Amino acid sequence: GGTWSTDYNSFWCCQGTGVEVNTRLMDSIYFYNDTTLTVNLFVPSVLDWSQRGITVTQSTTYPVSDTTTLTLSGSMSGSWSIRIRIPAWTSGATISVNGEAQSVATTPGSYATVTRTWAAGDTVTVRLPMRVIMQAANDNNNVQAVTYGPAVLCGNYGNSSLGSLPSLNTSTITRTSTSALAFTATANGTTVNLGPFHDAHGFNYTVYWNTGGGGTTYRLVNVGTGLVLGVQNMSTADGGLAVQWGDTGTADHNWDM
């Protein structure tokens, strides 16, 4: 899948831009002022907050894991705040300090703030539950991409060429590893491996899938809450429980009228 550039005859500007962008990621992990530290990205890193004499060490395998841990060291004085980004794709995020759950709002798409008098050795553990969410194309609800937490997944088709979008059975998407973002699913009646798009290399892949039967489907939206009617755990069994959810784009939110 794909071709490489050559030294003199073919070279794409996005390759140079990509290298530049990677070197700038570190400038958006943390932000701080006199009394507030903002944790914006979940990356193994060490922050030297020299103005306060504080070091923050972040340990994580995110996005393979849904958890990151911040360990504080150095000179602690007075009360100050740690603001932690809560991504819009998560639900039920939790924050613990030294193993004790904190009663703070963890609204998706916002920042959660913990304010206290910190001590050297304190640990802050952030858990951002991840799940499969189907993201529909803007112009065709039957064409969708598979996401898991912050990662877009692609199907690995090796050396096979695709003449059209594979038809994906979304209920078969299954994570197969706890140490990698590895998944399997059934598309066009056969098993296909899925993994992060950002790791796609050396093979033909697809990011978009045909997930519908081609007919018109509808969202049933509660006028009072704005929530849509879906099926709990995307169950396809008889007797599946219909419940209200935020509209995450999953196939169980589609209804024929």
Side-chain angles (χ1 to χ4, degrees):
T3 58
W4 297 103
S5 63
T6 59
D7 290 341
Y8 300 107
N9 296 321
S10 58
F11 192 87
W12 296 272
C13 63
C14 57
Q15 295 174 347
T17 303
V19 172
E20 178 186 40
V21 167
N22 288 334
T23 65
R24 294 184 58 81
L25 287 176
M26 64 180 181
D27 72 5
S28 298
I29 301 175
Y30 306 101
F31 299 96
Y32 51 81
N33 59 25
D34 290 341
T35 59
T36 303
L37 169 67
T38 297
V39 180
N40 194 54
L41 298 177
F42 310 110
V43 180
S45 53
V46 178
L47 169 67
D48 178 14
W49 191 358
S50 58
Q51 293 88 339
R52 293 190 65 105
I54 295 170
T55 298
V56 180
T57 301
Q58 184 173 177
S59 304
T60 185
T61 59
Y62 175 96
V64 172
S65 165
D66 63 3
T67 301
T68 191
T69 299
L70 307 165
T71 302
L72 309 182
S73 60
S75 303
M76 305 289 168
S77 60
S79 175
W80 50 279
S81 302
I82 297 180
R83 295 175 69 241
I84 299 165
R85 185 171 65 88
I86 307 299
W89 48 256
T90 194
S91 178
T94 59
I95 298 175
S96 299
V97 176
N98 301 329
E100 183 177 343
Q102 302 297 293
S103 295
V104 295
T106 57
T107 305
S110 69
Y111 287 80
T113 301
V114 179
T115 301
R116 58 183 280 151
T117 300
W118 301 92
D122 281 348
T123 60
V124 181
T125 302
V126 183
R127 182 172 178 265
L128 305 169
M130 302 181 189
R131 65 192 189 281
V132 171
I133 297 177
M134 303 300 298
Q135 299 285 356
N138 290 336
D139 60 347
N140 187 344
N141 193 58
N142 291 319
V143 173
Q144 301 186 359
V146 183
T147 64
Y148 184 79
V152 176
L153 304 182
C154 67
N156 183 342
Y157 278 88
N159 294 322
S160 300
S161 297
L162 293 172
S164 61
L165 295 181
S167 294
L168 179 68
N169 184 340
T170 58
S171 66
T172 64
I173 301 171
T174 304
R175 188 171 182 179
T176 58
S177 173
T178 58
S179 59
L181 288 180
F183 298 77
T184 61
T186 301
N188 289 351
T190 61
T191 299
V192 60
N193 293 320
L194 288 81
F197 178 48
H198 62 256
D199 282 342
H201 169 75
F203 55 84
N204 292 325
Y205 60 81
T206 185
V207 170
Y208 292 102
W209 309 84
N210 180 6
T211 60
T216 301
T217 60
Y218 301 87
R219 296 285 203 271
L220 302 181
V221 183
N222 185 298
V223 294
T225 64
L227 300 176
V228 298
L229 189 66
V231 180
Q232 191 173 54
N233 298 323
M234 293 191 291
S235 173
T236 58
D238 288 345
L241 181 64
V243 291
Q244 290 190 108
W245 295 103
D247 190 357
T248 56
T250 53
D252 63 300
H253 295 165
N254 299 334
W255 302 89
D256 290 328
M257 301 293 287

